[in-house]
Amino acid sequence: MSSQEHILETSLANSQKQVEQLSQEVLELYRQVNLLYRLGDVFSAGLQTEDVCGVLMIESTKVVRARSAFVRLSDGRTFGRLSTNPASKMSVGIETPMGRIGDITLFDKKRGFFTAADEKLIRAVARQAGVALENSRRIEGLIEQNEALETLNDELRALDQMKSDFVGNVSHELRTPLASIKGFAATMLADQDMPREVANEFVGIINDESDKLIAIINDLLDVSKMMSGHMDYRLARQSLTAILQQVTALLKIQAEGKNIVLGLDIESEMDVRIDPTRMHQVFINLIGNAIKFTDAGSVKIRQWTDTDGLHVSIQDTGIGIPADLLPNIFDKFYRVENIVHTKEGTGLGLALVRGIVDYHGGTVDVESIHGVGTTFTVNLPPARAIDHDSSIDIDSNTARSE
Ligand SMILES: Nc1ncnc2c1ncn2[C@@H]1O[C@H](COP(=O)(O)OP(=O)(O)OP(=O)(O)O)[C@@H](O)[C@H]1O
Ligand SMILES: [Mg+2]
């Protein structure tokens, strides 16, 4: 072989080597571009945060031939495992147009050390992951918002149902006395020669039914005042005994009509700071309920005092309230299902009771055994505990003093 031929052969061999190396690099570049394209597709599929981080770790370790990866997000969440004493490691930030939102660390390159080219590549991958993480954060936010909206929607639906039930119930409660008033008035008008005793009886009924109407309308007005924080209170320092005696006397006829023994036991007494009219309303409701929901037996009212203050319990031997429904009975318009069609009422009484007693700094407890009976207890603090220097000043800006 001539020397010229030899030179030609060597340079051919060199060129071949260069071509091989170039094609290796082109192949590697192709692999990287391909990876970035593929990741673009995967990340644009709307993955959740943990899936994005999972893909980021798997693909990053693969592409730079690392043994493991660890992702830490700025919200504190971490994925993968930290390697202790790694032979080599490389950290790259996960960037978004809004800034850095975390970083990925790769550990233990299988051969040699991580290179600048590795870092450049992982930076490109992490940037894609950053966009995907931003999207997943938005999607997760939307999902949360959607769930909150659904809950709100359910609540609104329940409220709407309650409103419809209420409208139905209140209309019924208003219509019954009104129909009766209308009926008796019409009969009297049609029969001008009605004997006086009969006419008196009819007028008596009209009067009673009108009282019922007024009571319902007053309850409605009170509840709406209470809800808007405009209930008036005239506080005075006094004992509760006289109020309990009045209410018991008022409801005695009603109890006797149902053959129920109504008893009042004043064990001891103490001054409390109360609005007497509102307290009257509280016990009319509680004792009225006890009589209404008792078909036989007794309603016992007991008043006693201790260092906590004044306590009044109203114990009946009535139908009772199922334990799981007890938490609902103080809600406005709530009535236990089984009595809805048999006992009159709008479900406002206990809501008013609780609101009024709350205002006085007291509490209302209830214990009940379904089918056996119920005991309501009103607890009021002693007058001293909430009384500052005057017995009739009032702290509410909507209340008036006496
Ligand atoms: N002493 C009781 N025994 C059994 N159930 C009771 C008793 N007191 C209240 N409840 C139950 O709690 C519900 C709510 O009572 P609440 O006084 O608010 O309404 P109501 O008496 O039905 O109607 P309103 O008081 O507006 O006339 C009642 O409908 C009833 O189901
Ligand atoms: Mg009631």
Side-chain angles (χ1 to χ4, degrees):
M1 182 191 290
S2 72
S3 71
Q4 222 176 356
E5 274 174 339
H6 180 73
I7 292 171
L8 212 68
E9 205 156 288
T10 317
S11 96
L12 203 72
N14 276 346
S15 304
Q16 227 162 14
K17 227 186 248 169
Q18 272 178 355
V19 166
E20 251 168 49
Q21 205 175 328
L22 261 175
S23 57
Q24 272 297 323
E25 280 172 25
V26 167
L27 216 83
E28 182 62 22
L29 266 176
Y30 176 76
R31 211 162 61 87
Q32 293 176 4
V33 169
N34 199 29
L35 167 74
L36 292 176
Y37 264 120
R38 205 156 44 77
L39 282 183
D41 283 349
V42 174
F43 285 154
S44 65
L47 297 181
Q48 297 205 335
T49 304
E50 53 188 314
D51 298 326
V52 173
C53 292
V55 172
L56 171 65
M57 288 191 301
I58 290 170
E59 297 297 340
S60 300
T61 45
K62 234 194 304 175
V63 74
V64 298
R65 300 191 175 86
R67 285 198 196 280
S68 61
F70 177 74
V71 168
R72 185 198 311 274
L73 297 182
S74 45
D75 63 10
R77 280 187 284 179
T78 59
F79 302 90
R81 251 182 310 125
L82 272 171
S83 163
T84 47
N85 290 330
S88 55
K89 99 176 191 179
M90 169 177 72
S91 268
V92 168
I94 302 171
E95 305 287 345
T96 70
M98 336 284 280
R100 176 183 282 225
I101 57 160
D103 45 56
I104 174 167
T105 308
L106 292 147
F107 301 102
D108 302 301
K109 190 164 168 94
K110 285 180 188 159
R111 218 175 300 151
F113 294 97
F114 292 111
T115 63
D118 287 342
E119 190 181 324
K120 203 169 157 198
L121 181 60
I122 297 302
R123 213 172 278 289
V125 173
R127 202 171 306 120
Q128 279 193 332
V131 175
L133 284 170
E134 270 298 299
N135 286 339
S136 59
R137 202 177 51 82
R138 279 198 206 108
I139 291 169
E140 280 161 11
L142 278 178
I143 291 172
E144 257 169 47
Q145 254 177 19
N146 208 26
E147 278 168 4
L149 274 177
E150 265 171 28
T151 315
L152 199 73
N153 217 7
D154 286 348
E155 281 168 13
L156 281 176
R157 222 172 285 135
L159 215 64
D160 196 50
Q161 182 61 43
M162 207 163 97
K163 223 172 73 183
S164 316
D165 291 351
F166 164 67
V167 170
N169 197 17
V170 169
S171 319
H172 174 78
E173 291 304 317
L174 292 176
R175 205 175 42 199
T176 314
L178 264 179
S180 172
I181 292 168
K182 164 92 184 137
F184 284 103
T187 313
M188 288 176 78
L189 273 176
D191 183 1
Q192 300 289 335
D193 306 324
M194 184 179 277
R196 192 168 177 82
E197 317 83 71
V198 181
N200 277 348
E201 190 194 334
F202 282 16
V203 171
I205 294 170
I206 289 173
N207 193 44
D208 290 348
E209 296 297 307
S210 308
D211 283 347
K212 274 192 206 165
L213 269 184
I214 292 167
I216 294 171
I217 289 162
N218 279 342
D219 273 0
L220 280 171
L221 290 176
D222 280 346
V223 162
S224 93
K225 264 197 240 166
M226 198 181 263
M227 282 166 73
S228 61
H230 290 103
M231 185 91 131
D232 283 346
Y233 289 95
R234 293 159 164 251
L235 296 181
R237 188 187 172 126
Q238 65 172 79
S239 106
L240 204 66
T241 307
I243 294 176
L244 290 179
Q245 284 165 340
Q246 276 170 17
V247 174
T248 318
L250 256 173
L251 295 175
K252 196 143 199 97
I253 303 167
Q254 208 173 307
E256 279 169 3
K258 293 179 79 178
N259 265 329
I260 293 167
V261 180
L262 182 63
L264 173 63
D265 179 10
I266 306 287
E267 284 179 14
S268 54
E269 59 180 6
M270 153 194 293
D271 272 1
V272 278
R273 209 167 124 81
I274 51 168
D275 179 326
T277 315
R278 293 297 176 200
M279 273 302 151
H280 191 271
Q281 198 176 356
V282 163
F283 290 102
I284 284 277
N285 268 302
L286 290 176
I287 302 169
N289 275 354
I291 297 170
K292 174 160 66 171
F293 298 115
T294 300
D295 294 325
S298 63
V299 171
K300 287 184 192 151
I301 304 142
R302 190 165 79 88
Q303 175 183 282
W304 74 101
T305 56
D306 58 23
T307 48
D308 292 338
L310 182 85
H311 312 273
V312 181
S313 67
I314 298 113
Q315 181 181 22
D316 67 50
T317 56
I319 56 173
I321 303 161
D324 57 323
L325 304 180
L326 271 179
N328 306 330
I329 59 168
F330 291 96
D331 292 348
K332 292 180 288 289
F333 311 127
Y334 183 83
R335 310 189 74 218
V336 176
E337 196 67 42
N338 61 347
I339 54 99
V340 168
H341 301 294
T342 53
K343 313 274 182 193
E344 282 182 352
T346 47
L348 293 174
L350 286 181
L352 284 169
V353 165
R354 173 156 280 176
I356 294 170
V357 175
D358 270 358
Y359 182 85
H360 288 83
T363 54
V364 188
D365 300 330
V366 58
E367 283 168 37
S368 188
I369 300 176
H370 195 204
V372 176
T374 306
T375 305
F376 281 89
T377 308
V378 175
N379 310 291
L380 291 169
R384 258 167 292 115
I386 50 166
D387 202 0
H388 305 299
D389 35 41
S390 148
S391 64
I392 47 167
D393 71 323
I394 293 168
D395 34 21
S396 158
N397 53 6
T398 57
R400 299 182 308 258
S401 55
E402 249 178 357

